[in-house]
Each structure stands twice: as structure tokens, then as C-alpha cells.
Amino acid sequence: MGAMMIEDGKVDILNLGFLALDGVFASDLAVANAARVSFNQVSQEMTEKDVGLINFLMRERHGTPFEHGFFRFIMKAPIFVAREHHRHRIGHSYNEWSGRYSKLDSEFYIPRYVRTQVGKPGCYQYLPMSDEESRKVREEIELTAGQAFLKYDSLLELGVAKEVARLVLPLATYTKYYWSCNPRSLMHFCSLRNSLNAQYEIMEYAKAAELFFKDAMPITFEAFIKNGRVSP
Amino acid sequence: MGAMMIEDGKVDILNLGFLALDGVFASDLAVANAARVSFNQVSQEMTEKDVGLINFLMRERHGTPFEHGFFRFIMKAPIFVAREHHRHRIGHSYNEWSGRYSKLDSEFYIPRYVRTQVGKPGCYQYLPMSDEESRKVREEIELTAGQAFLKYDSLLELGVAKEVARLVLPLATYTKYYWSCNPRSLMHFCSLRNSLNAQYEIMEYAKAAELFFKDAMPITFEAFIKNGRVSP
Amino acid sequence: MGAMMIEDGKVDILNLGFLALDGVFASDLAVANAARVSFNQVSQEMTEKDVGLINFLMRERHGTPFEHGFFRFIMKAPIFVAREHHRHRIGHSYNEWSGRYSKLDSEFYIPRYVRTQVGKPGCYQYLPMSDEESRKVREEIELTAGQAFLKYDSLLELGVAKEVARLVLPLATYTKYYWSCNPRSLMHFCSLRNSLNAQYEIMEYAKAAELFFKDAMPITFEAFIKNGRVSP
Amino acid sequence: MGAMMIEDGKVDILNLGFLALDGVFASDLAVANAARVSFNQVSQEMTEKDVGLINFLMRERHGTPFEHGFFRFIMKAPIFVAREHHRHRIGHSYNEWSGRYSKLDSEFYIPRYVRTQVGKPGCYQYLPMSDEESRKVREEIELTAGQAFLKYDSLLELGVAKEVARLVLPLATYTKYYWSCNPRSLMHFCSLRNSLNAQYEIMEYAKAAELFFKDAMPITFEAFIKNGRVSP
């Protein structure tokens, strides 16, 4: 598996998902200026000193200067990932494909490598299962999810309301949504979801988000990493 | 079907769900006082004038005086309801049962009356299906969801991580969570979810929430209804 | 007094204040797309139908599609205006010039026309005072504020910490800050502050904000006005 | 100066300010339960293990379980303190005495000990001035603020609108407001304001808030202190 990459403004994730940048208006300069306005000193360009300033803000967890930017993504992810994502409330905006208003596509997530879980809450470890076991589990998931989608179709054909028919669809079903955030809320998402305690699948999205973050705000990103991915 | 009622601090909802009040600290007086502090006039009890004041605040959409109270619920609801609920961000706190850390119970929602959907986006109508059709659809849902739970169990027995095995579970699966909010965010939830455009299932929870709201803050509740359930 | 205008990305307000657009990333199209993603229908350009869609969203108070844009302003305003402004919490970010870290400029607000207040809370009227009275009051304000700034200077010269010396400065003192918001939170600000109940001075800033809003999102702005400046 | 104490639900602060608890609904148990609901294990009382659990949540910065409680305060503070306080947005609700609707009392803050500021931004030190200097500065502040209030009175007598007359009032003027928050947002306030970088005056309020916090949630408070007053 090669390294994750942005191609045409988009990162493919999992079997059918993606994170695409729909628009961005963010810069390291805006962070520096938002901090420097405290001293009534605003500038048109970054200086060497600003690198240190941004690192200082990150380390000392002065969060507000990181709010003056904007990222808008289109994200396609399995529902169980979207569920975790949408628990992020502050500085995050979402608009999602509705299973009440339109028929959901027959697309669902199947893990490439299946894992087992050992240990206790707070310190779980996730280990890959054997190829043979993985293959079997993948087939089972595909079969069960596939049957659920067939049932969904037949309920719709019977005239059942879409919002009711979806009851049978699995948590693996893909959904799609607009997601807007600012650099601070983006870092908060990444600090929690690109972490050892996060579930592998949402971690992939957090890693992709970091690629876009790094592109737009390289100095801020570096300071974020340097300070242990702790959101300010 | 009888009227919805609070029994032992709890309202049973749908086939297996509920909304239970875990704690409340809210009063009409706190609304009046938060408004009157503008004039540096705070009182220890409600007067006749305060009824008018609360109605004025509601009508003119002065929202902040309604934030100085607190409701904490335990809610058990199907995942597709929780998904809609958790989109409410501001003034809402949630902590939910995690399918990553523990095995989910084999409990899922089956609609008592199945409905069909007619009309166009923005003005759908939902009509009951015949008893015969309803019975058939209920059986299909039960069968499909039941099979998904059997598969879930067998994946867990194979040693698949809980967070992966849950992929096959249906959106009808019940989850459980703590939900805290303030009177203003509660009204916002009710105004959107106890409305003709809301899905029936979440509407039931919104109606239950209003029962608890009315109990704690009868004058505020009355003003809310009088002003067309428009959240201030 | 001529109509308020944007010149070089800036609107001059009151005697020494301004609202300047530091950056914007917002469009009517993003509103339409955020709404249409509900139906899994996203487009690259606005159509006639989208005008109706945006009006529908505004009227029915579907607020979330209006969150996917971004405005960043630099604002210079008297402290009593900043105080009212900073009460807007959700979807608003601020970074302000600090009187703890740097010396504040000797600049303060003097109203051009002084007004008197008649009537009762909830239905005040503000009427202009005579030219003669206005002139006198302006002089009094200028004198008192001027003396306060002289005292501020002399306390600083004595070595008093800036954060302490500022105690004597008047609420008329100008401050400056970065302000970022999204189209929804911007409308919320405008609906409350460009209103008959708002104080004249902050109303001027809200009017200026609407000029920038209209420039970036003409269709959304029109729908906002058409629906009585009620924030969705 | 004796230790800060709660008397009759109130802590006196600075020369004329206070922080009074108007109501509280918060407990350590609610934190433990909100965390344990992840495992579908909720209990009616705290156990030894819960102490460790709360410490774990604090250390690992799992913040949401700390949101299920409520504090409502009445706070009287100088305007420059209120200005810093009201910058706290998420999980904080405020309703304040309005200088537009009623006449403000002639009460202002005079520091007991005046301090000087040495060093550079990010690492200032504040040192007490001599008794003689302090006395002189106090007199100056009192004189200047007193004259501003006399001017305020005379402007009101001339019929100037309250919202205009207040322009001359100093930042030292006392205001009063309702403040509601949850344990998490309270900790966030305390972590920033009961800190070496905070201004002395707001630090006094943060210290008082911690007294109430400790009373209601002793185990959570202890974990907060143990983990370096870092808000989860």
C-alpha cells in the first residue's frame, strides 16, 4: 500500500470513500497576524520570527489565533465513521446526504485487513487476523451487507418510505457530506482521530485531512506535529 | 395508543426506547431573573408580570435568558434517530455507549405502523400502509435485522474486533446515551424535531422531551407553544 | 451624510472606526450545494432554481447550509461596541488588541449627533438633541475622555503596569480586532444589530457588514432581506 | 489578607466585586457515569475505581464526560474583567446588566496594591510598587474615575441617552451578570484565568470559581489540580 496522496484535490480512502477539498482560505500569515493584533502589529508577510511565534502559540495552547481560516471538504465515509465525526461540534459544520429524501447508493465498506482486539478498555491493541480469516470475514460482511441492500430495494419497491426502508441498512453504508471547519477545529479533529486510540477507519480520514492542512498551512502544521499533535 | 406519559421519570418510546430524566435544574424564575438583570432587578419569586416578560422574550427571540438552566437525560434510541439528534451541536452534550468497547445488545427498532412517502422534497406526506402490508414489512425488517445480529455474534466469536464486527449492524439498532442541554437548546431541538417535517421516530423523542420541559418550566413551555414552537 | 460605501475593501464608521474585509471565501453556490447534498446532487454553477432554493432555506430557517463560507474582518470600534459584539459566541472568532501588552492609542468615539432616550424598556425611542445641546455634550465627552487619556499617560510614566493604567480609560476608547465568522453567524449578528432595538453605533457596523455580505453572496443577501432580516 | 472563603454562597472579590453561586447541579458521579455509559455501565454511587477513572479522563483529556453538570453564578466585576471573561464562548452563558436600559451605579475598582510591569510579552513580571507610589496611583484612579461618574450624572441630567452618557465611564466600572457554565467550560476558564499569565484581577474570580467547583465536585477538582490545571 503506497503512501496516502492528494490527487486532483482528493484523497481516496478505504474501499470507496474519499476526502476532497472543496475550498480553502487559510494561511500561516493569518495565524501570525491574529496573534500580533494583540500588540497592534499586523503585517503583510511572514517573517522568520513568525515561525517561532506560531510554535509558541501552539505550545502554550493559545487557540484563538488558529480560528481565522477556513476549510471546506466533501467527504464520503461509512456511516460508523460519520457517526464519530459528527460528534465534533464546535467549529464544525456539516450537511449530509439524506436517506429520507433520496435513495442511498448500494455502497458499503469492507475492511481490507480484518483485525482482532485484545487488551482492556483504555489500552486495547488491534492485531491483524490471518489472511484466511480476513478473507472469510470479508466475505461474511459483504454477504450480510449485500443482503441488507437487496432488502432495502425490495422495501422501497413495496412503497415503504425511504426513511423507514433505511432501517435495515448496515453501519458500513457509505454516506457523503459537506464538512467545513477552521484550522483550530481541524487540529482538534486530527489530534483525537489521528491517534493511537482512534479507530483505524476514521484515522485514515484524519490523515488525509492533515495532508490538506499541511498544504495550506505548512508552518502551523509543523508546529502541530512538533508539539505532539496536541490541539491548542 | 394512549397519550404519552412520564412514569418514574421516564417515557417509553417506540418499541424498546425511552427518554429518562437523570436530573434537572431549571425554572421559569431563572429566565425572568436572567432577563431582569439587564435592569439590575433580580427577585426571589415569579410575579404576574414575569409571565408577560417570558412571553415577550420568546416572541422577540431574546434567547440568552433561556440558557441558565439544565436538563440531563438518558436516552435509548435507534441509531438513525441518534444520528439526527447528534447533529444538534450548540448547547448539547452527549456521551454514548460505544460499539468499540462493548458488545451491543441485540435490540432493534421495528415500526409499529409502516408508512409510505408521497409528494416532493419540502412537502412530503407520510401515509400509513395497510395492515397487511405493514405486517409484511415488519416481518422483513425483523428478519433482516435479526440476521445481521446473528452475523455480528458470529463475527465476534471468530475474534473480530467489536469495532469491525458492528459494520453489519442495521441503522435500526438501539444505542443509549447521556444527553445534557439547556432550556434554549432543548427548545431548538423540539422546534425542529417536533415538527411536521421531522421523521416520526425522532418526533416521539421530541414530544417526550417537551413533557419534561413543561414539568420544569410550565410558563416558558406555554410561551414556547403560544409562539408557534419557534425557538428563541 | 452620504450613503455608506466600501472603499478599498473598507468602510469608515463613526469618527475613527472602520470595518475592513481581510478575506472572504463565500458564495451563494456553496449554500445551494450544501442544501442539495441532501439529495446527492451537487453542481458547479447556480441555476434559476437555486434562487428559489436559497429563499426556501431562509424562509424555513434551515440554517446549516449557510455555514459553509467564511468572512474575516478587521474591525476598529469603541469598546462599548466591542462589548456588545463579543457577546456573539457561536460561529464567531475574535482576536483583539490587548491593553495588557501594548499602550492603547489616544483615540475615542465622540457621537456626531447626541440623542436622548424616551419611552420604556422594550420600546425606547431615541431622538436627536438640539445642535446646541449636542455641541455641548460633545465637548463634555471630549474633555472627560481626553483627561482620562492624559491620566493614562501619566500613570504609565509613573511605571504603572499597562493592564492597571487602562482602568481609567473610557468606554469610548477605540479598540481593534480580527473577527471571523460564517454567513450564518454573520446574518445572526446583522439580524440583531441592524435592528431598531440595537444601539445606533453597533448598527453602523452591522450595516457595513451587510455591504460585504451582499457583495459576496448577493442572492443569499436578497433572501435575507426579503425574509425580514430573520437569521436562519 | 486572609484566605479566600465562601460565605453565604458568595465570595467577596476586589474592593466591591463578588462571585455568588446562584445554583449548582453537578457531581463527580455524573462524570463517572457519562464515561461508563461507553460500556453501558451506569451506577448510582461512586466507587474507589471511579476516582481513578476521573483522573484517567482528565489526564487523557477526554472532555465530554465533564459536560453533564451545571453551575449558575451571579458575578460582579469591573468591566475590564468582564471583557476578558466574555471572550469565553463555548459552554458559557451570560446575561448582563445593561447600561442602555438602566443607570449604572457609581462603583468602580481601585487596586489595593498597584503593580508595575517588567519584561517582555510572553514573560512579563508584575512587581508591587512602593506603598507611597501605590497610594498616589490609587488616588489618581479614584479621582479620575470619580470625575467620570460625575460627568456621567450630569450628562444624564441634560437628558442624554444612557447608552451615550456611559461613553465617559471608565473600564474600572463595576458591572453585574448571570454566568452559567458546565464543569468542562468552568475548568477551561480556570485553566486560563487562574494562571501565571492571567491578569491578577480576573485570577481572583477564577480562584473563587474553583472554590465552588471543589465544593460540588471534589474528586474532579483534585484530578484537575493533579493534572496541572489543564482543562480536558
Side-chain angles (χ1 to χ4, degrees):
Chain A
M1 190 170 60
M4 186 179 272
M5 285 178 57
I6 301 174
E7 284 186 73
D8 291 333
K10 189 174 148 191
V11 179
D12 289 318
I13 302 173
L14 307 181
N15 61 330
L16 293 167
F18 62 76
L19 184 70
L21 188 68
D22 191 54
V24 56
F25 191 85
S27 66
D28 293 317
L29 179 61
V31 178
N33 274 338
R36 282 200 241 101
V37 78
S38 304
F39 304 96
N40 196 24
Q41 289 166 358
V42 166
S43 156
Q44 291 312 307
E45 46 188 71
M46 292 285 289
T47 67
E48 249 333 282
K49 272 176 72 177
D50 292 332
V51 177
L53 173 62
I54 288 175
N55 196 57
F56 167 82
L57 296 170
M58 192 75 73
R59 193 184 69 228
E60 299 297 316
R61 306 192 56 223
H62 293 297
T64 52
F66 297 99
E67 296 180 15
H68 300 280
F70 178 73
F71 292 84
R72 185 172 64 222
F73 297 103
I74 304 182
M75 180 159 160
K76 183 176 173 187
I79 285 176
F80 70 93
V81 169
R83 289 245 295 145
E84 293 190 337
H85 191 180
H86 294 172
R87 299 295 296 276
H88 292 256
R89 295 160 294 171
I90 309 307
H92 294 277
S93 297
Y94 309 99
N95 275 276
E96 188 181 356
W97 187 4
S98 168
R100 298 186 66 207
Y101 305 143
S102 69
K103 186 171 180 297
L104 297 173
D105 289 344
S106 180
E107 294 187 331
F108 47 87
Y109 169 60
I110 306 173
R112 183 187 291 259
Y113 305 105
V114 179
R115 56 201 184 274
T116 192
Q117 178 180 27
V118 296
K120 301 200 327 183
C123 53
Y124 285 124
Q125 268 193 299
Y126 295 94
L127 305 177
M129 299 181 85
S130 73
D131 285 359
E132 175 56 23
E133 287 170 317
S134 269
R135 196 190 49 74
K136 187 171 171 222
V137 170
R138 286 168 51 85
E139 279 175 16
E140 297 278 16
I141 291 174
E142 187 156 14
L143 189 71
T144 312
Q147 282 171 339
F149 268 96
L150 287 177
K151 191 59 65 183
Y152 176 62
D153 286 346
S154 78
L155 291 175
L156 291 176
E157 272 166 36
L158 285 172
V160 174
K162 295 182 201 78
E163 67 183 24
V164 174
R166 66 174 170 172
L167 291 185
V168 299
L169 292 181
L171 296 179
T173 304
Y174 273 97
T175 184
K176 200 152 64 179
Y177 49 91
Y178 273 90
W179 166 36
S180 291
C181 58
N182 65 51
R184 187 186 193 184
S185 55
L186 183 66
M187 284 190 280
H188 196 251
F189 172 74
C190 292
S191 75
L192 285 178
R193 305 303 179 178
N194 188 7
S195 118
L196 288 178
N197 292 317
Q199 180 159 352
Y200 165 77
E201 283 78 11
I202 197 167
M203 200 191 302
E204 290 293 288
Y205 288 89
K207 281 178 180 165
E210 287 191 3
L211 292 184
F212 293 109
F213 178 36
K214 182 181 179 179
D215 257 19
M217 306 173 72
I219 293 167
T220 303
F221 177 73
E222 197 181 348
F224 180 53
I225 299 304
K226 197 171 160 184
N227 287 281
R229 253 188 199 88
V230 175
S231 170
Chain B
M1 189 170 60
M4 186 179 272
M5 285 179 55
I6 301 173
E7 284 186 75
D8 291 333
K10 191 174 147 191
V11 178
D12 288 318
I13 301 173
L14 307 181
N15 62 330
L16 293 167
F18 61 77
L19 185 70
L21 188 68
D22 190 54
V24 56
F25 191 85
S27 66
D28 293 317
L29 179 61
V31 178
N33 274 338
R36 282 200 241 101
V37 77
S38 304
F39 303 96
N40 197 23
Q41 290 166 357
V42 166
S43 155
Q44 291 312 307
E45 47 186 69
M46 291 286 288
T47 67
E48 250 333 285
K49 271 175 73 177
D50 293 330
V51 177
L53 172 62
I54 288 175
N55 196 56
F56 167 82
L57 297 170
M58 192 75 73
R59 193 182 70 228
E60 299 296 316
R61 307 194 53 226
H62 293 297
T64 52
F66 297 99
E67 295 180 15
H68 300 280
F70 178 73
F71 292 85
R72 186 171 65 223
F73 297 103
I74 303 183
M75 180 159 161
K76 183 177 173 187
I79 284 175
F80 70 93
V81 169
R83 290 245 294 146
E84 294 190 336
H85 191 180
H86 294 172
R87 299 295 297 277
H88 293 256
R89 295 160 295 168
I90 309 308
H92 295 277
S93 297
Y94 309 99
N95 274 276
E96 188 181 354
W97 187 6
S98 167
R100 297 186 66 206
Y101 306 143
S102 69
K103 187 173 179 296
L104 296 174
D105 289 345
S106 180
E107 293 187 333
F108 48 86
Y109 169 59
I110 305 172
R112 182 187 293 259
Y113 305 106
V114 178
R115 56 202 184 274
T116 192
Q117 178 179 25
V118 296
K120 300 200 328 182
C123 53
Y124 285 124
Q125 267 194 299
Y126 295 94
L127 304 176
M129 298 181 85
S130 73
D131 284 359
E132 176 56 22
E133 287 169 317
S134 269
R135 196 190 49 74
K136 187 171 171 223
V137 170
R138 287 167 50 85
E139 279 173 16
E140 297 278 16
I141 291 173
E142 186 156 14
L143 189 71
T144 311
Q147 283 170 339
F149 269 97
L150 288 177
K151 190 60 66 181
Y152 176 64
D153 286 347
S154 78
L155 290 176
L156 292 176
E157 272 167 35
L158 285 172
V160 174
K162 294 182 201 77
E163 67 184 22
V164 175
R166 66 173 170 172
L167 290 186
V168 299
L169 292 181
L171 296 179
T173 305
Y174 273 98
T175 183
K176 200 152 65 179
Y177 51 90
Y178 272 90
W179 165 36
S180 291
C181 59
N182 65 51
R184 186 186 193 184
S185 55
L186 183 65
M187 285 190 280
H188 196 252
F189 172 75
C190 293
S191 75
L192 284 180
R193 304 303 180 178
N194 189 6
S195 117
L196 287 179
N197 291 317
Q199 180 159 351
Y200 164 77
E201 283 78 12
I202 198 167
M203 201 191 303
E204 290 292 289
Y205 289 88
K207 281 178 181 166
E210 287 191 2
L211 292 183
F212 292 109
F213 178 36
K214 182 181 179 180
D215 258 19
M217 305 174 72
I219 292 166
T220 303
F221 177 73
E222 198 180 348
F224 179 54
I225 298 305
K226 196 170 160 184
N227 286 282
R229 253 190 198 88
V230 174
S231 170
Chain C
M1 191 169 59
M4 187 180 272
M5 285 178 57
I6 302 174
E7 284 185 74
D8 291 333
K10 190 174 149 192
V11 178
D12 288 319
I13 302 172
L14 307 181
N15 61 330
L16 293 168
F18 62 77
L19 184 70
L21 188 67
D22 191 54
V24 57
F25 191 84
S27 66
D28 292 317
L29 179 61
V31 177
N33 274 339
R36 284 200 241 102
V37 78
S38 304
F39 304 96
N40 197 24
Q41 290 166 357
V42 165
S43 157
Q44 291 312 307
E45 45 187 71
M46 291 286 289
T47 67
E48 251 331 285
K49 272 175 72 178
D50 293 333
V51 177
L53 172 61
I54 288 176
N55 197 55
F56 167 82
L57 296 170
M58 192 75 73
R59 192 184 70 228
E60 298 297 316
R61 306 192 57 222
H62 293 297
T64 53
F66 297 100
E67 295 180 15
H68 301 280
F70 178 73
F71 292 84
R72 186 172 64 223
F73 297 103
I74 303 182
M75 181 160 160
K76 184 177 173 186
I79 285 175
F80 71 93
V81 169
R83 290 246 294 147
E84 294 190 337
H85 190 181
H86 294 173
R87 300 296 295 278
H88 293 256
R89 295 160 295 169
I90 309 306
H92 294 277
S93 297
Y94 309 99
N95 275 275
E96 188 181 354
W97 186 6
S98 167
R100 297 186 66 206
Y101 305 143
S102 71
K103 186 172 180 296
L104 297 173
D105 289 345
S106 180
E107 294 187 331
F108 48 86
Y109 170 61
I110 305 172
R112 183 186 292 259
Y113 304 106
V114 178
R115 56 199 184 277
T116 191
Q117 178 181 25
V118 295
K120 300 199 330 180
C123 52
Y124 285 122
Q125 270 194 298
Y126 295 93
L127 305 176
M129 298 182 81
S130 73
D131 285 358
E132 176 57 22
E133 286 169 317
S134 271
R135 196 189 50 74
K136 184 167 174 224
V137 170
R138 286 168 50 84
E139 279 173 14
E140 297 278 16
I141 291 174
E142 186 157 15
L143 189 70
T144 311
Q147 282 170 339
F149 269 96
L150 287 177
K151 190 59 63 179
Y152 175 64
D153 286 345
S154 77
L155 290 175
L156 291 176
E157 271 166 36
L158 284 173
V160 174
K162 295 181 201 76
E163 66 183 23
V164 175
R166 67 175 169 171
L167 291 186
V168 298
L169 293 181
L171 296 179
T173 304
Y174 274 96
T175 184
K176 199 152 63 179
Y177 50 91
Y178 273 90
W179 166 37
S180 291
C181 59
N182 65 52
R184 187 186 193 185
S185 56
L186 183 65
M187 284 190 281
H188 196 253
F189 172 74
C190 293
S191 75
L192 285 179
R193 304 303 180 178
N194 189 5
S195 118
L196 288 178
N197 291 318
Q199 181 159 349
Y200 164 77
E201 283 78 12
I202 197 166
M203 201 191 303
E204 291 292 288
Y205 289 89
K207 282 178 180 166
E210 288 191 2
L211 292 183
F212 292 109
F213 178 36
K214 182 181 179 180
D215 256 18
M217 306 174 72
I219 293 167
T220 304
F221 177 73
E222 197 180 348
F224 179 55
I225 299 305
K226 196 171 159 184
N227 286 281
R229 251 188 199 92
V230 174
S231 170
Chain D
M1 191 169 59
M4 187 179 272
M5 285 179 57
I6 301 174
E7 284 184 74
D8 292 332
K10 190 175 149 192
V11 179
D12 288 318
I13 302 172
L14 307 180
N15 61 330
L16 293 168
F18 63 75
L19 184 70
L21 188 68
D22 191 54
V24 56
F25 191 84
S27 67
D28 293 316
L29 178 61
V31 178
N33 275 338
R36 282 202 242 100
V37 78
S38 304
F39 304 95
N40 197 23
Q41 289 166 356
V42 166
S43 156
Q44 292 311 309
E45 47 187 70
M46 291 286 288
T47 67
E48 249 333 283
K49 271 174 72 178
D50 293 332
V51 177
L53 173 61
I54 288 175
N55 196 56
F56 167 82
L57 297 170
M58 193 74 74
R59 193 184 69 228
E60 299 297 316
R61 307 192 55 223
H62 293 296
T64 53
F66 297 99
E67 296 180 14
H68 301 280
F70 177 74
F71 292 84
R72 187 171 63 222
F73 296 103
I74 304 182
M75 180 158 159
K76 183 176 173 187
I79 285 175
F80 70 94
V81 168
R83 290 246 295 146
E84 294 190 337
H85 190 181
H86 294 174
R87 299 296 295 277
H88 293 256
R89 295 160 295 169
I90 309 305
H92 294 277
S93 297
Y94 309 99
N95 274 276
E96 187 181 354
W97 186 6
S98 168
R100 297 186 66 207
Y101 305 143
S102 70
K103 187 172 180 296
L104 296 173
D105 289 345
S106 180
E107 292 186 333
F108 48 87
Y109 170 61
I110 306 172
R112 183 187 292 259
Y113 304 105
V114 178
R115 56 201 184 275
T116 191
Q117 179 180 25
V118 296
K120 298 198 332 180
C123 53
Y124 284 123
Q125 268 194 299
Y126 295 93
L127 305 175
M129 298 181 83
S130 72
D131 284 358
E132 176 56 22
E133 287 169 317
S134 270
R135 194 190 50 73
K136 183 166 176 227
V137 170
R138 287 168 50 85
E139 279 174 14
E140 296 279 16
I141 291 173
E142 186 157 14
L143 189 70
T144 311
Q147 282 170 338
F149 269 97
L150 288 177
K151 190 59 64 179
Y152 175 63
D153 287 346
S154 78
L155 290 174
L156 292 176
E157 271 166 37
L158 285 172
V160 174
K162 294 182 201 77
E163 66 184 23
V164 175
R166 66 175 170 171
L167 291 185
V168 299
L169 292 181
L171 296 179
T173 305
Y174 273 97
T175 184
K176 200 153 64 179
Y177 50 91
Y178 272 91
W179 166 36
S180 292
C181 58
N182 65 51
R184 186 186 194 185
S185 56
L186 183 65
M187 284 190 281
H188 196 253
F189 172 75
C190 292
S191 75
L192 285 179
R193 305 304 180 177
N194 188 6
S195 118
L196 287 178
N197 291 317
Q199 181 159 350
Y200 164 77
E201 283 78 12
I202 197 167
M203 200 191 303
E204 290 292 288
Y205 288 88
K207 282 179 179 165
E210 287 191 2
L211 292 183
F212 292 109
F213 179 37
K214 182 181 179 180
D215 257 18
M217 305 174 73
I219 293 167
T220 303
F221 177 73
E222 197 181 348
F224 179 55
I225 298 306
K226 197 172 159 183
N227 286 282
R229 251 188 200 92
V230 174
S231 171

